[in-house]
């Protein structure tokens, strides 16, 4: 299950996410979303867990809990919707 983790402090690392979620089970991947120009965190990320029961437990256990001073928003990630094609700039 892919899990959305929001309202993260900008100092949170992928290792911090792994540490928080590993208490609930095996993590397939953890990634923070960064600004493509500055490389700075955008304050949210995703954690992938292969076992849905463990993922549900992590969502229930970690939602609204503090990580580096901010309460995380944790829920199941929604599928990414297709983006409309851009018209060329001529």
């Amino acid at each position: 299950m892919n899990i959305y983790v929001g309202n993260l402090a900008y100092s949170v690392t992928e290792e911090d996410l792994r540490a928080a979620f590993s208490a609930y089970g095996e993590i397939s991947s953890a990634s923070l979303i960064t600004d493509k120009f500055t490389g700075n965190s955008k304050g949210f990320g995703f954690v992938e867990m292969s076992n849905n029961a463990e993922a549900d437990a992590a969502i229930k256990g970690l939602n609204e809990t503090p990580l580096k001073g901010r309460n995380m928003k944790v829920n199941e990630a929604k599928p990414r919707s297709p983006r409309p094609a851009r018209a060329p700039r001529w």
Side-chain angles (χ1 to χ4, degrees):
M1 176 186 298
N2 197 14
I3 302 168
Y4 167 82
V5 187
N7 197 40
L8 294 173
Y10 296 120
S11 61
V12 170
T13 65
E14 289 179 5
E15 285 306 313
D16 294 329
L17 281 181
R18 284 184 180 277
F21 280 81
S22 65
Y24 293 90
E26 186 179 338
I27 297 167
S28 303
S29 67
S31 61
L32 289 172
I33 305 305
T34 57
D35 182 272
K36 66 181 175 181
F37 298 111
T38 66
N40 295 335
S41 171
K42 287 191 168 189
F44 70 98
F46 296 91
V47 174
E48 181 79 34
M49 298 180 79
S50 55
N51 183 309
N52 284 350
E54 292 172 352
D56 286 334
I59 290 169
K60 289 181 180 94
L62 292 173
N63 190 38
E64 295 297 332
T65 61
L67 180 63
K68 291 199 173 183
R70 295 184 76 173
N71 288 352
M72 298 183 287
K73 304 286 186 209
V74 183
N75 53 47
E76 185 175 351
K78 295 178 176 69
R80 194 170 181 178
S81 59
R83 300 174 97 179
R86 288 184 157 188
R89 293 185 189 180
W90 301 54

